[in-house]
Amino acid sequence: MGYSMTLRGKTATFPDLKTLLAKASPLRAADELAGIAAESEEERAMAQYALAEVPLQRFLDEPLISPEADEVTRLILERHDPAAFAPIATLRVGEFREWLLREGDADRLRSIAPGVSPEMAAAVSKIMRNQDLIAVARRCRVVTRFRNTIGLPGRLSTRLQPNHPTDDPRGIAASTLDGLLYGAGDAVIGINPATDNLDQVHTLLSLLDDLIQRHDIPTQCCVLCHVTTTMELIRRGSPVDLVFQSIAGTEAANQSFGVDLGMLREARDMARAQNRGTVGDHVMYFETGQGSALSANAHHGVDAQTCEARAYAVAREFEPLLVNTVVGFIGPEYLYDGKQITRAGLEDHFCGKLLGLPMGCDVCYTNHAEADQNDMDTLLTLLGVAGCTYVMGIPGADDIMLAYQSTSFHDALYLREVLGLRPAPEFEEWLNRMGIFNGRNALADSCRQVPLLSDFAGLGEGAA
């Protein structure tokens, strides 16, 4: 079935839904690299007009990737909830945009989430302005729990990311202390390891678990190694809180990561069986990013943003504690400059929240992108207004292991201050009890009397 649109005497024809979605996407380098982007702004506008007329039901009737060839497509179709879809089932994409802006309060958005497919979310985002994406995402509330409660209204959590280029436990301990003293770490204390070596990952997990248990910190830790490494560590009795994995929106792209849905189910069940959570059992942590399927030559001709939304269907299946798009990490070949990174971050956050995910964002860029920290300040602020669940906290906003630029502990404090946001409630109470916060959602005047300072002097020494 083809799609066409005539404007000012000119007609554009799009042979299928996959092509229409790609041509309607706001400009980004990934789609240009794949050879599927609109050839002009005029063609893009005509595609967006045509997309607005497509019934939502069409995305169920015309899968972009054959279910016979792709388990992610099968998952999307099998998990679609007709009852949740019913209130919007007769709408076209343009009407869905209007419904979201007019009718979409928190309860209604929550109720339709199981009936919204990733392709529907991607489609409507393509005809929305940035302010539309912010306005709707802000009303989507997704609450998850493990050792604290993440995603409540008026709250902004942070991942404390104490990476080190050699996995030096002392360096990681120092960065962790730095972050805790700035009120970071309620989403997770999460390390990207320099190696997937089992013994080294066990050392880092033990370091973080010792810190959390010794100081009764209501948070969770994670070493972001491959899921199979984490599963083996669980078998060996390592203190695993969360299972991490990078995921993508096609079966072939996930295979390039060395995972499939069955493996992720097994890992989730193993982690839940440990019963390490105190207030909930959301044990999965997923990261995504536009362009990952294209990098693996596994995009099936689907545009980068729609592939990204399909990754959220994978995440949704496993009831994760945390999901975040590492929005500018892959590089300018996929998101060329600050404008493209900003748009992608808002799209990803909107689509994830609309689908019912606890969506965070690594507001970041690589050093060879046409972007700088001012661009990140802008996106960080926009995401804060949009109700982003959590952001990253990295010493100086400079990840010395992964060699990219993100957001700092200070940036999270800025966002909380200007928007009146607070950490997760259990973590906030701990910050006040420890003397890090002053009881008024602000840093104490002095941290010299904070009890954990004395313990950190030797932390990591035995593992060095």
Side-chain angles (χ1 to χ4, degrees):
M1 177 183 294
Y3 302 85
S4 64
M5 175 57 57
T6 301
L7 287 175
R8 298 177 180 175
K10 293 184 178 180
T11 299
T13 301
F14 311 97
D16 52 33
L17 195 51
K18 182 189 304 184
T19 302
L20 179 61
L21 285 165
K23 299 292 187 181
S25 286
L27 177 66
R28 66 208 52 208
D31 295 339
E32 292 183 307
L33 182 64
I36 58 176
E39 295 181 4
S40 66
E41 288 302 319
E42 183 178 50
E43 185 183 28
R44 179 171 292 109
M46 295 175 78
Q48 290 172 345
Y49 271 107
L51 181 60
E53 296 301 315
V54 175
L56 294 182
Q57 179 65 40
R58 189 70 52 77
F59 296 98
L60 302 174
D61 299 338
E62 188 182 334
L64 304 185
I65 303 171
S66 169
E68 288 76 21
D70 184 83
E71 69 172 356
V72 176
T73 300
R74 293 197 295 275
L75 176 72
I76 291 168
L77 296 175
E78 290 167 3
R79 291 292 187 263
H80 184 257
D81 185 337
F85 183 54
I88 57 173
T90 62
L91 302 181
R92 293 175 289 184
V93 172
E95 294 169 329
F96 186 36
R97 171 185 175 272
E98 296 301 319
W99 187 94
L100 289 169
L101 291 169
R102 183 183 64 248
E103 305 289 346
D105 62 28
D107 290 339
R108 299 193 78 181
L109 290 171
R110 188 180 302 110
S111 70
I112 67 164
V116 178
S117 77
E119 293 85 356
M120 295 174 198
V124 74
S125 76
K126 295 176 192 296
I127 63 168
M128 297 174 84
R129 293 172 57 184
N130 286 359
Q131 66 174 251
D132 298 338
L133 299 173
I134 292 168
V136 176
R138 183 175 178 82
R139 297 198 295 270
C140 296
R141 280 294 159 192
V142 182
V143 179
T144 57
R145 296 175 174 88
F146 188 75
R147 289 201 186 99
N148 57 27
T149 306
I150 297 170
L152 293 170
R155 306 280 176 170
L156 173 72
S157 294
T158 55
R159 170 186 162 190
L160 201 172
Q161 186 170 311
N163 294 346
H164 192 280
T166 63
D167 288 342
D168 182 353
R170 291 169 296 184
I172 288 170
S175 293
T176 302
L177 173 61
D178 188 24
L180 289 171
L181 292 177
Y182 280 105
D186 51 337
V188 64
I189 304 174
I191 303 168
N192 295 95
T195 171
D196 250 26
N197 175 273
L198 282 164
D199 291 337
Q200 184 65 20
V201 174
H202 171 79
T203 295
L204 298 181
L205 283 169
S206 298
L207 169 70
L208 295 182
D209 183 63
D210 178 49
L211 169 67
I212 288 171
Q213 301 302 329
R214 191 187 312 183
H215 295 284
D216 195 25
I217 307 174
T219 191
Q220 38 281 329
C221 68
C222 185
V223 177
L224 282 67
C225 54
H226 192 268
V227 62
T228 54
T229 303
T230 303
M231 292 165 73
E232 180 58 29
L233 288 165
I234 292 174
R235 295 186 188 102
R236 295 186 181 191
S238 295
V240 173
D241 289 342
L242 305 182
V243 175
F244 168 81
Q245 183 55 48
S246 295
I247 56 173
T250 71
E251 178 179 352
N254 284 321
Q255 287 176 347
S256 77
F257 289 145
V259 300
D260 58 31
L261 299 179
M263 183 185 295
L264 294 175
R265 289 191 184 97
E266 182 181 0
R268 178 197 58 191
D269 294 345
M270 290 175 67
R272 280 184 170 170
Q274 299 183 109
N275 294 314
R276 290 178 61 84
T278 56
V279 297
D281 66 350
H282 296 114
V283 296
M284 302 300 283
Y285 174 15
F286 295 118
E287 285 190 346
T288 66
Q290 289 192 29
S292 58
L294 177 60
S295 293
N297 194 27
H299 61 297
H300 298 272
V302 178
D303 67 90
Q305 191 249 333
T306 302
C307 277
E308 173 73 2
R310 285 169 55 93
Y312 303 153
V314 176
R316 182 167 62 174
E317 173 72 3
F318 301 99
E319 300 177 290
L321 180 76
L322 305 167
V323 180
N324 72 267
T325 168
V326 193
V327 65
F329 182 73
I330 301 183
E333 300 84 358
Y334 301 88
L335 295 169
Y336 178 71
D337 56 16
K339 183 174 182 178
Q340 291 188 17
I341 292 170
T342 296
R343 175 68 191 189
L346 294 176
E347 289 170 346
D348 293 351
H349 179 254
F350 163 83
C351 289
K353 293 291 274 298
L354 187 61
L355 292 168
L357 290 175
M359 205 68 197
C361 184
D362 190 344
V363 179
C364 63
Y365 64 102
T366 57
N367 290 317
H368 62 311
E370 291 295 321
D372 59 26
Q373 213 63 35
N374 286 325
D375 295 310
M376 299 306 101
D377 287 347
T378 300
L379 178 54
L380 175 70
T381 305
L382 293 174
L383 286 168
V385 175
C388 189
T389 301
Y390 71 105
V391 296
M392 306 299 122
I394 299 172
D398 183 3
D399 192 305
I400 59 174
M401 194 280 281
L402 293 173
Y404 78 116
Q405 309 304 309
S406 185
T407 49
S408 70
F409 309 135
H410 305 75
D411 295 330
L413 283 176
Y414 145 77
L415 198 59
R416 284 171 173 166
E417 179 182 348
V418 298
L419 297 178
L421 302 172
R422 298 155 63 188
E426 300 91 343
F427 193 77
E428 181 184 29
E429 190 279 329
W430 179 83
L431 291 171
N432 287 319
R433 175 162 47 87
M434 295 294 287
I436 297 171
F437 273 17
N438 62 10
R440 300 184 301 278
N441 195 36
L443 291 178
D445 292 336
S446 172
C447 64
R448 293 178 184 174
Q449 304 303 316
V450 173
L452 70 144
L453 279 173
S454 58
D455 265 3
F456 261 87
L459 195 60
E461 291 288 347

